[in-house]
């Protein structure tokens, strides 16, 4: 992995660490490209059951690095941000932002693009864009109204105030606030629970919830019905039912199991069942 973005895999969890601590992990062109590559790689790797995004050196991310000269047209710079935001949003596995320190501007919206956010009490947050003569980006105009409602989103964007973790939690912009000494263990436990879940069903839940806010009830119900069809075609639903009956914990794999009759004249098992992983 690129030196500005560290990657570690352990027990089904991939941890990506923004690694520009001298710049409080501000994201330059190299780091934007590394994030895009890392998200694409994670999306294609079925061994990754959960993804954690964090920062090195006592900061999460201080936003886009505006100190680096860039003579290119802004449309190309914004394309890099757009790619990262969409790739993160569309990752099939659950994603967790682990924040200790500053998370401002695009850095905060990068965290909000994750499914769950864990922060320490000393963390600070700001939609700082207006103080820089800019408007919100990295999906902030879409994320904030959905998370806090339109009026509070306008407060965040127009005033560019700085919030502590307690205030961010009160606005539903942080899922949990955990002491600094406990955040690693808390995140490890959280991701272990996510990894133990049914991967296909979790991916379907995530996609349904992401899309649901923009759908009619009829459209949402149709999406739910289609998703359940996919879930029942895996080994996980029968495994859950069996585990419940046997009073044990289920073991979910996401394995695709299809039962269908063989083609006419084909040789095979007597009942024609086929199982595909």
């Amino acid at each position: 992995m690129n030196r500005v973005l560290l990657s570690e895999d352990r027990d089904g969890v991939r941890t990506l660490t923004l690694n520009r601590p001298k710049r409080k992990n501000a994201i330059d062109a190299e780091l934007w490209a590394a994030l895009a590559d890392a998200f694409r790689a994670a999306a294609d790797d079925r061994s990754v059951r959960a993804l954690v995004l964090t920062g090195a050196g006592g900061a999460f991310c201080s936003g886009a690095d505006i100190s680096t000269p860039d003579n290119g047209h802004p449309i190309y710079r914004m394309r890099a941000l757009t790619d990262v935001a969409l790739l993160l949003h569309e990752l099939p596995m659950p994603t967790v932002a682990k924040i200790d320190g500053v998370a401002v501007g695009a850095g905060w919206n990068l965290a909000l693009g994750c499914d769950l956010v864990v922060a320490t009490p000393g963390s600070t947050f700001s939609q700082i864009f207006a103080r820089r003569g800019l408007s919100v980006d990295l999906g902030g105009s879409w994320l904030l109204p959905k998370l806090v409602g339109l009026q509070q989103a306008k407060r965040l964007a127009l005033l560019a105030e700085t919030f502590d973790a307690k205030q961010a939690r009160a606005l539903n912009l942080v899922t949990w606030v955990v002491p600094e000494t406990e955040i690693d263990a808390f995140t490890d436990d959280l991701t272990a629970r996510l990894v133990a879940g049914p991967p296909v069903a979790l991916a379907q839940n995530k996609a349904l919830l992401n899309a649901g806010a923009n759908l009619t009830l009829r459209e949402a119900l149709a999406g739910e019905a289609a998703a359940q069809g996919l879930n029942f075609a895996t080994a996980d639903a029968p495994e859950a039912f069996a585990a419940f009956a046997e009073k044990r914990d289920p073991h979910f794999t996401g394995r695709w199991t299809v039962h269908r009759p063989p083609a006419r004249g084909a040789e095979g098992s007597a009942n024609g069942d086929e199982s595909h992983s």
Side-chain angles (χ1 to χ4, degrees):
M1 183 59 63
N2 194 296
R3 62 183 175 82
V4 298
L5 183 67
L6 307 180
S7 180
E8 178 186 12
D9 286 2
R10 186 177 63 183
D11 299 328
V13 180
R14 178 164 297 173
T15 299
L16 299 177
T17 303
L18 309 180
N19 190 39
R20 300 187 72 220
K22 293 182 180 179
R23 299 292 304 161
K24 294 186 177 180
N25 302 316
I27 309 177
D28 62 359
E30 184 181 13
L31 185 47
W32 285 121
L35 281 167
D37 289 343
F39 292 154
R40 290 189 187 98
D44 292 335
D45 190 340
R46 285 192 292 174
S47 71
V48 180
R49 300 275 290 266
L51 184 141
V52 175
L53 190 61
T54 191
F60 180 76
C61 178
S62 59
D65 192 345
I66 59 176
S67 69
T68 304
D70 189 341
N71 296 323
H73 196 286
I75 194 171
Y76 300 119
R77 297 199 296 272
M78 293 309 300
R79 187 176 295 164
L81 275 69
T82 298
D83 288 346
V84 166
L86 284 174
L87 287 164
L88 174 59
H89 179 73
E90 294 174 354
L91 281 174
M93 72 288 296
T95 55
V96 179
K98 183 170 74 172
I99 300 174
D100 181 26
V102 298
V104 301
W108 192 8
N109 289 340
L110 185 68
L112 295 178
C114 293
D115 302 312
L116 303 167
V117 179
V118 186
T120 60
S123 299
T124 55
F125 307 85
S126 177
Q127 293 289 321
I128 200 170
F129 301 97
R131 284 192 246 163
R132 303 289 183 259
L134 300 169
S135 52
V136 294
D137 61 23
L138 208 72
S141 63
W142 188 87
L143 289 162
L144 292 171
K146 288 175 171 56
L147 292 168
V148 302
L150 182 58
Q151 190 175 73
Q152 289 294 341
K154 289 178 178 178
R155 170 193 174 184
L156 290 162
L158 299 179
L159 296 178
E161 298 167 302
T162 297
F163 296 86
D164 61 25
K166 183 178 179 180
Q167 292 170 309
R169 175 68 188 90
L171 286 168
N172 292 324
L173 294 166
V174 167
T175 321
W176 296 279
V177 179
V178 180
E180 183 179 352
T181 56
E182 299 175 18
I183 191 170
D184 289 341
F186 182 92
T187 305
D188 288 346
D189 176 72
L190 171 63
T191 52
R193 290 157 58 196
L194 293 170
V195 167
V200 174
L202 294 188
Q204 295 299 311
N205 279 335
K206 176 174 175 174
L208 287 167
L209 292 170
N210 282 342
N214 301 311
L215 301 177
T216 65
L217 176 58
R218 183 177 296 276
E219 290 168 335
L221 288 167
E224 291 173 359
Q228 290 293 42
L230 290 175
N231 294 325
F232 280 115
T234 72
D236 287 345
E239 164 65 7
F241 301 152
F244 177 78
E246 297 165 11
K247 295 182 173 55
R248 60 174 175 82
D249 292 331
H251 175 64
F252 294 123
T253 62
R255 185 169 59 86
W256 175 255
T257 304
V258 178
H259 300 284
R260 62 177 182 236
R264 182 175 298 176
E267 296 180 359
S269 63
N271 62 10
D273 286 358
E274 296 183 3
S275 178
H276 300 280
S277 298

